[in-house]
Amino acid sequence: MRLAELWTYPVKSCIGIPAETWEVDEYGLVGDREFVVAAEGGKLLTQRNAPKLNLVHVSRRDGYLCISTQNMPFLAVEIAKAGEVIRVKLYDGFAPGLCMGEEAAQWLSEFLGRPCRLVRSHERFFRCMPPEAAHLFLRRQRRYPDCAPIHLISRASLDALNRRLAAPLEMSRFRPNLVVEGIGPFEEDRLRSIRIGGIVLEYMGLAERCVIPTIAPATAERSAEPLRTLRGFRHLADGFYTRLAFGTYFQPTEIGVLRVGDGIEVLSVGQAPELRSY
């Protein structure tokens, strides 16, 4: 088994950045989901309520966050810029953040058609999830992932899903951080501890899919797939959200640098969670 792809998502719900190598700290891939778009009152905007975000390209260059999309001017925002402190409303409560200036706010407001701001995480905060979901979250976080720090999917699992679909889907629909190859379909469900290079990752749970994989990357249009198909064979018997499982969540227990091509050593395995068909 080896690491085949490595992805980061500096701005939550915007297009990801492929990388050959990336640093990992205790909160996951450094800079991953470091920025979010927030509407009035600090309400979090993601592809769930602002699907056009998946048309926005981002990159980092010389201390700037660069943002672009069709029919909008190129925008470069200084990452170190200190702005107004606000609270961003996440799913389990509020988290602190720094506004990244009026220029970024105007750009995003015009593109999304509603008042909003670009916000950067700048300090640690606590997550307060209900007991049935607590195993999927770091109690203390530094950035803005939905839940666990690192999301892993095998290429074989996507191939198995695509064989059930009328039209195949891209891996980008599922927004993984790590794509692995060299194991069979859904064998990642059983991984409990793995070593990639010098980094050790511990299993936190299966990823329960929301509507984001139904949004086409190039058009932001929605469809019924892949949720309809996942419901037929990947329905968790015991879940807390949609119960439609695809992919796995991990947290780092030993940090370092990941590199595409790194071999993956399986340190321990367990029983795959019970799945049902409907």
Side-chain angles (χ1 to χ4, degrees):
M1 182 164 52
R2 65 183 287 272
L3 180 60
E5 298 176 32
L6 177 59
W7 291 85
T8 65
Y9 307 86
V11 181
K12 191 177 181 69
S13 271
C14 293
I15 295 172
I17 301 174
E20 290 297 313
T21 182
W22 208 269
E23 184 180 356
V24 173
D25 63 16
E26 62 184 299
Y27 305 109
L29 275 68
V30 172
D32 188 55
R33 277 87 172 187
E34 182 179 359
F35 298 85
V36 293
V37 180
E40 293 177 334
K43 181 181 179 180
L44 182 67
L45 295 184
T46 71
Q47 290 184 39
R48 297 176 183 88
N49 51 14
K52 286 178 64 178
L53 284 172
N54 86 341
L55 304 176
V56 177
H57 294 268
V58 297
S59 62
R60 293 174 181 265
R61 300 178 196 168
D62 302 322
Y64 285 83
L65 181 74
C66 302
I67 302 175
S68 63
T69 192
Q70 288 188 345
N71 303 318
M72 290 289 293
F74 176 84
L75 176 67
V77 182
E78 186 179 0
I79 293 175
K81 183 174 183 177
E84 174 192 358
V85 178
I86 70 164
R87 297 197 307 163
V88 177
K89 190 176 189 306
L90 304 180
Y91 309 109
D92 56 316
F94 286 93
L98 293 176
C99 289
M100 298 303 295
E102 188 59 29
E103 186 179 12
Q106 290 178 354
W107 193 101
L108 288 163
S109 298
E110 179 181 348
F111 179 66
L112 295 176
R114 61 192 299 182
C116 55
R117 294 183 279 187
L118 181 66
V119 180
R120 181 190 179 201
S121 174
H122 72 293
E123 64 183 25
R124 291 181 295 181
F125 57 91
F126 286 94
R127 304 294 300 264
C128 301
M129 296 303 296
E132 62 270 21
H135 64 288
L136 291 175
F137 292 78
L138 295 184
R139 186 166 181 267
R140 187 162 60 178
Q141 184 52 267
R142 177 64 175 75
R143 295 185 280 271
Y144 301 119
D146 275 2
C147 49
I150 292 178
H151 181 205
L152 179 150
I153 300 176
S154 75
R155 281 182 173 170
S157 295
L158 179 62
D159 292 343
L161 173 61
N162 279 335
R163 286 193 289 270
R164 294 171 176 261
L165 298 174
L169 300 179
E170 313 91 332
M171 184 67 83
S172 61
R173 292 255 190 162
F174 300 94
R175 303 178 67 80
N177 296 114
L178 311 181
V179 179
V180 302
E181 62 183 15
I183 57 174
F186 309 111
E187 286 188 18
E188 61 265 39
D189 293 3
R190 298 180 60 244
L191 300 177
R192 293 298 175 265
S193 179
I194 59 175
R195 186 189 304 276
I196 310 177
I199 294 175
V200 174
L201 302 179
E202 299 289 341
Y203 173 86
M204 297 181 76
L206 296 191
E208 296 184 42
R209 308 315 312 201
C210 64
V211 299
I212 288 179
T214 70
I215 303 171
T219 64
E221 295 179 354
R222 289 182 174 173
S223 67
E225 296 294 3
L227 299 188
R228 179 169 57 192
T229 295
L230 288 174
R231 192 170 290 112
F233 79 116
R234 294 285 298 173
H235 195 284
L236 275 170
D238 183 19
F240 80 99
Y241 184 40
T242 65
R243 299 191 177 189
L244 304 181
F246 189 81
T248 46
Y249 286 136
F250 288 84
Q251 64 176 324
T253 58
E254 294 183 25
I255 63 176
V257 176
L258 288 172
R259 295 176 177 84
V260 170
D262 278 347
I264 301 175
E265 178 186 0
V266 177
L267 302 179
S268 64
V269 297
Q271 184 174 353
E274 182 185 354
L275 294 166
R276 297 174 178 172
S277 300
Y278 285 90

